[in-house]
Amino acid sequence: MRLERLDPWRVRIPRHGGMRVDGIVYAGPELMAEIERDPCLEQVANVAHLPGIVGASLAMPDIHWGYGFPIGGVAAMDAEEGVISPGGVGYDINCGVRLLRSTLTADEVRPRLRELVAQLFRNVPTGVGAGRRDLRLGRRDLERVLARGAAWAVGRGMGEPDDLLHIEEGGCLATADPEAVSARACERGGPQLGTLGSGNHFCEVQEVEEVFDEKAAAAFGLARGQVTVMLHSGSRGLGHQVCSDFLKRMLDAARRYGIALPDRQLCCAPIRSEEGREYLGAMAAAANFAFANRQVMTHWVRESFAAVFGLPPARLGLGVVYDVCHNIAKFERFTVAGRERRLCVHRKGATRAYPPGHPQTPEAYREAGQPVIIPGDMGRYSYVLAGTERAFADTFGSSCHGAGRRLSRHRAKAAARGRDLVGELAARGVVVMADGMGTVAEEMPEAYKDVAEVVEVVEGAGISCRVARLRPLGVIKG
Amino acid sequence: MPFRFIDHTGDVGFELEGGTLAELLSEAVAAFACTLTDRERLGSAESRELELAAPAPDLLLHALLEELLYLFERDGFLAREGRMELAGERPWRLRARLAGECRDPQRLPLKLLVKGITYHQLAVAERDGGFHGRVLLDI
């Protein structure tokens, strides 16, 4: 595959074959050398084949081999002429990250850290199976979750109305159609509301280790030494099943609409088709389930802190800094070649990064820009960034979503053999509790790229600015 | 071993072999169990029956794995092995008799959770007198 370096931060895959637009990969020379060893660049080119794609098929610096779309892929489709692809959203619809800030300092938390992590591990269900016995949903309740998202949980006393102001889309996609969600999806995922899941999902207690932009950090309510909590989870089995259901339908639809696919996982249908509209309604409902899921777990995080520190939640702060979607397709407006257009932006392992002043950036952050929360790995650090005008102009308001895997799970496990990873992390000051040690091995720090290298690219390219770096103190995983 | 795991950066997959399509599908049951848990410790006292149809062998493999995932997520049922009966082609029809158990989390720790069975590089081909398959799972 021919590649052309455009500048220190971007590489172009020139349009060839059935590609309708170029591919653009955000990566410096070192990251690019790694990326080229992975089949993901072919996936960037494959996405460029989809009808109605606008601008370029984009890849963020945390790109790695996915299925259909690469992980770290962004593609904007014309809302009238373009297609919607369930594979461009992924199985874990609205997998995303939420960051909470507390009034506690790391020095206050450290003496009780082990107790706190154990309390979180008890309160926030991890791994497989159903969630807590005190949260059982009937069909009507589930429909309300699918329609209202995080607001459902707040209405049930699991959160504050202020939380909703600091969630992408206010924690609810109004286009949700609960009736488009299959009985099988409800059956599979309904009991999993308020569960973290497994794999790369986590709940992490952190310390603000460094502040790069004092003004933006102050706007986000972050200061050096402060304790934060990061939650990474999605729509669980419900979203997974919605994706599976519609992939099957889209395989037929793509054939009927005469859409040539370089990879069947890219199967899609015109946005304006019946299949396209139904998928968008079901996807939005699953996204709302994910917003509610993170909201419920936020409530249990607050209860865990209150139990350990013997203080009412109000004294502990634990307000929502922001909550972002990583896997989503949404209608957004951008100016392309001087013309404002309504586009359906697929973000598959990418984060919205809206600039200062944008009406969808929360009031409190209007001057700083939208918070962009970038988890790293459980041994090193994560970042809080802010969205920029450049991202709005160049990447359909998108940035990276994490560190990106460097090792396969198999290779990570091989590298972990014979090592006491929990002990190694404890030596770094990180308390880890997990359902199984296999997950800890697969998710060990070396399995990921250094997220600082990824962040260097998005800052260098001007699509996000560093605000703060967070260091892990304690982690629970499935 | 008639199946082997594929080294994928973010997810997991396996390649399968069988003298017949039915054998390949039986191997898929074993591979799926090995992906999720220690199959050697998995019992076979409980049974389930599936009837599936698909327009092509690779889509039949996909449909079978989706059903295995659904049974696991809904009931905790994990099949240790499956007896496959193929009844007709185009569409390809399958009757699968599965033997396994509903997982006891204390006795059978889970290796990982599967989100979905992808179509990326999904393949079943007949060559060299046997059947070869490939499938990637999202985890």
Side-chain angles (χ1 to χ4, degrees):
Chain A
M1 182 181 290
R2 195 159 67 88
L3 301 172
E4 290 174 5
R5 180 154 286 285
L6 296 174
D7 56 39
W9 313 111
R10 294 183 306 161
V11 169
R12 186 165 82 102
I13 303 171
R15 182 178 162 185
H16 63 274
M19 289 170 72
R20 295 166 193 261
V21 293
D22 289 341
I24 304 272
V25 181
Y26 281 74
E30 280 179 29
L31 271 182
M32 198 62 203
E34 267 189 56
I35 291 167
E36 281 186 71
R37 288 197 287 271
D38 198 83
C40 57
L41 292 179
E42 194 183 323
Q43 296 186 318
V44 178
N46 286 347
V47 171
H49 287 66
L50 294 177
I53 188 166
V54 172
S57 165
L58 301 173
M60 297 295 119
D62 48 337
I63 180 178
H64 59 85
W65 185 18
Y67 41 88
F69 270 59
I71 312 300
V74 177
M77 311 302 182
D78 184 273
E80 301 300 317
E81 309 294 330
V83 293
I84 175 78
S85 171
V89 173
Y91 288 91
D92 201 356
I93 295 166
N94 188 10
C95 178
V97 180
R98 174 178 288 210
L99 184 68
L100 311 174
R101 55 176 169 263
S102 77
T103 55
L104 299 169
T105 65
D107 288 342
E108 288 169 322
V109 166
R110 228 173 249 114
R112 307 188 75 170
L113 183 60
R114 193 161 287 278
E115 189 189 342
L116 175 62
V117 174
Q119 187 71 30
L120 287 166
F121 196 62
R122 273 192 297 274
N123 278 1
V124 181
T126 56
V128 72
R132 287 174 34 157
R133 290 203 180 106
D134 55 351
L135 183 69
R136 287 278 183 267
L137 302 184
R139 173 74 205 187
R140 293 291 299 278
D141 271 330
L142 185 54
E143 280 172 10
R144 289 185 191 113
V145 170
L146 298 178
R148 299 184 58 209
W152 173 86
V154 171
R156 291 272 296 246
M158 292 182 276
E160 303 297 326
D162 187 65
D163 295 345
L164 305 177
L165 302 177
H166 302 101
I167 305 175
E168 187 169 334
E169 304 294 336
C172 177
L173 295 182
T175 50
D177 178 4
E179 287 187 11
V181 176
S182 69
R184 185 172 270 214
C186 293
E187 195 176 22
R188 189 172 157 190
Q192 296 177 348
L193 185 71
T195 64
L196 199 57
S198 186
N200 60 0
H201 292 164
F202 63 81
C203 171
E204 187 171 291
V205 180
Q206 309 162 321
E207 170 186 9
V208 179
E209 185 180 43
E210 189 162 355
V211 168
F212 304 101
D213 181 335
E214 292 285 353
K215 203 173 162 194
F220 296 169
L222 299 174
R224 195 180 164 134
Q226 179 185 10
V227 164
T228 58
V229 180
M230 191 179 280
L231 274 166
H232 180 207
S233 188
S235 50
R236 311 287 287 110
L238 187 135
H240 308 165
Q241 189 63 42
V242 166
C243 181
S244 296
D245 292 341
F246 278 91
L247 281 171
K248 214 171 289 173
R249 281 187 69 186
M250 296 290 188
L251 276 177
D252 283 340
R255 204 165 25 241
R256 268 190 290 110
Y257 293 109
I259 300 169
L261 298 170
D263 178 342
R264 276 185 290 180
Q265 190 72 20
L266 292 174
C267 59
C268 52
I271 289 167
R272 298 180 67 183
S273 67
E274 184 187 332
E275 296 88 350
R277 283 198 308 270
E278 280 187 30
Y279 170 68
L280 283 162
M283 182 216 67
N288 288 347
F289 184 91
F291 282 133
N293 191 34
R294 294 195 286 274
Q295 184 65 41
V296 169
M297 287 189 284
T298 296
H299 178 63
W300 291 333
V301 166
R302 288 169 173 158
E303 287 190 340
S304 303
F305 271 75
V308 169
F309 294 99
L311 291 168
R315 290 272 307 279
L316 293 162
L318 292 168
V320 179
V321 176
Y322 207 59
D323 179 311
V324 289
C325 315
H326 284 166
N327 292 351
I328 199 84
K330 289 194 307 180
F331 291 99
E332 299 174 7
R333 288 187 177 277
F334 294 94
T335 302
V336 181
R339 184 162 69 93
E340 192 187 90
R341 293 174 71 172
R342 184 168 173 262
L343 304 174
C344 180
V345 183
H346 294 63
R347 296 192 182 94
K348 173 76 190 82
T351 312
R352 197 184 72 175
Y354 274 7
H358 192 281
Q360 285 208 30
T361 301
E363 186 70 43
Y365 309 149
R366 241 357 113 70
E367 279 188 39
Q370 178 216 301
V372 178
I373 301 156
I374 307 298
D377 60 71
M378 61 180 157
R380 285 176 280 193
Y381 30 65
S382 296
Y383 279 85
V384 180
L385 315 177
T388 63
E389 287 291 351
R390 187 75 180 268
F392 205 71
D394 290 358
T395 57
F396 305 106
S398 308
S399 188
C400 59
H401 87 307
R405 285 194 78 90
R406 172 171 273 151
L407 299 181
S408 70
R409 289 166 202 277
H410 176 72
R411 285 177 60 204
K413 273 186 169 167
R417 205 158 291 138
R419 286 168 58 183
D420 171 15
L421 285 173
V422 171
E424 286 178 27
L425 286 161
R428 294 195 204 184
V430 186
V431 175
V432 179
M433 290 190 186
D435 262 2
M437 285 305 111
T439 312
V440 177
E442 289 172 3
E443 295 293 314
M444 67 178 183
E446 299 98 295
Y448 285 88
K449 297 173 192 172
D450 182 347
V451 72
E453 292 173 19
V454 171
V455 165
E456 185 189 10
V457 174
V458 293
E459 188 167 63
I463 57 174
S464 296
C465 301
R466 286 182 305 172
V467 175
R469 188 172 65 226
L470 314 171
R471 198 177 82 77
L473 298 173
V475 188
I476 66 165
K477 292 190 72 71
Chain B
M1 198 182 225
F3 71 85
R4 71 170 191 88
F5 287 106
I6 297 167
D7 205 28
H8 184 283
T9 320
D11 294 309
V12 70
F14 35 80
E15 286 179 341
L16 305 153
E17 285 178 19
T20 62
L21 179 59
E23 281 176 24
L24 179 138
L25 295 171
S26 292
E27 284 309 319
V29 174
F32 186 78
C34 286
T35 304
L36 266 69
T37 192
D38 179 0
R39 180 170 172 262
E40 294 305 311
R41 296 173 64 193
L42 192 62
S44 52
E46 294 179 52
S47 62
R48 297 282 195 282
E49 271 201 25
L50 300 174
E51 287 194 19
L52 302 168
D58 57 346
L59 295 176
L60 191 61
L61 168 64
H62 188 276
L64 172 65
L65 290 167
E66 280 209 330
E67 288 303 310
L68 294 177
L69 174 57
Y70 173 66
L71 289 174
F72 174 66
E73 288 246 323
R74 189 189 63 180
D75 305 336
F77 177 81
L78 262 177
R80 181 187 162 88
E81 57 210 10
R83 275 181 45 212
M84 306 293 159
E85 251 180 64
L86 285 159
E89 298 180 4
R90 295 179 185 82
W92 298 74
R93 294 186 187 281
L94 172 70
R95 175 175 287 177
R97 290 190 177 84
L98 307 172
E101 68 169 302
C102 289
R103 191 181 71 99
D104 170 3
Q106 302 304 318
R107 198 174 63 78
L108 278 174
L110 207 62
K111 290 182 189 168
L112 48 82
L113 276 176
V114 174
K115 292 176 183 167
I117 317 299
T118 81
Y119 295 94
H120 179 57
Q121 299 184 345
L122 173 71
V124 170
E126 192 175 358
R127 64 170 189 269
D128 306 328
F131 282 79
H132 301 257
R134 178 183 174 93
V135 63
L136 291 169
L137 317 180
D138 182 29
I139 57 174

